[in-house]
Amino acid sequence: KWAVERTKALLLVEHWRQDAESTTPLKMRQRYSSSFKAAGGENVDDWLRKTQGPLNGNAKVEVGVSDLDAFDYPGQDNLLAVSFVQTVTVGGTRQVVRKRQYWSLEAGQWKIVSESLIEPRKT
């Protein structure tokens, strides 16, 4: 069961990564639940504006994901917790952070209901 959950999480995060790299706001928005809440209390639109806004208009954005951990959230059906290291490179600037996302199954589609930074890393 763990292998199946890990494979599912890898695919979800990979599709999210591809959308983040595309810098297309609508693609990113479709990955998030309308009930999304960020750790700082932002709703999905405010969160995406804050986190993706600086990337919009850049010709080349590279988003890498590594060290992914995933598990079913205890006591909650259809809730998946994932954490990973995200590397974003824009031009000569590189940012590395560890993120946690909670994915929930909503109307047959997995959506991010919460996302937060766990620990910023120096590069």
Side-chain angles (χ1 to χ4, degrees):
K1 183 175 176 174
W2 177 85
V4 170
E5 293 303 315
R6 181 163 170 71
T7 299
K8 176 175 51 183
L10 286 170
L11 287 172
L12 290 171
V13 172
E14 175 56 19
H15 290 135
W16 171 87
R17 185 202 67 76
Q18 290 172 4
D19 290 345
E21 204 168 64
S22 78
T23 68
T24 304
L26 187 55
K27 282 186 177 184
M28 283 300 289
R29 178 63 178 89
Q30 73 182 357
R31 299 279 169 209
Y32 290 81
S33 170
S34 58
S35 63
F36 172 89
K37 285 292 178 201
E42 300 97 339
N43 66 30
V44 65
D45 294 319
D46 290 342
W47 171 256
L48 289 173
R49 201 171 8 264
K50 175 181 161 183
T51 61
Q52 300 299 306
L55 303 178
N56 293 337
N58 284 293
K60 180 78 170 158
V61 175
E62 294 177 9
V63 179
V65 170
S66 60
D67 299 329
L68 186 128
D69 292 318
F71 57 91
D72 286 328
Y73 195 81
Q76 295 281 330
D77 290 337
N78 299 318
L79 185 61
L80 184 66
V82 297
S83 62
F84 55 90
V85 174
Q86 173 188 296
T87 305
V88 178
T89 306
V90 181
T93 304
R94 182 175 160 205
Q95 179 190 36
V96 180
V97 295
R98 185 151 184 83
K99 280 194 169 184
R100 177 166 295 133
Q101 295 176 333
Y102 293 93
W103 292 75
S104 178
L105 192 59
E106 296 180 356
Q109 293 193 4
W110 287 95
K111 302 281 186 172
I112 300 168
V113 293
S114 181
E115 181 172 324
S116 60
L117 298 180
I118 299 172
E119 77 184 69
R121 298 194 176 199
K122 296 187 188 250
T123 58

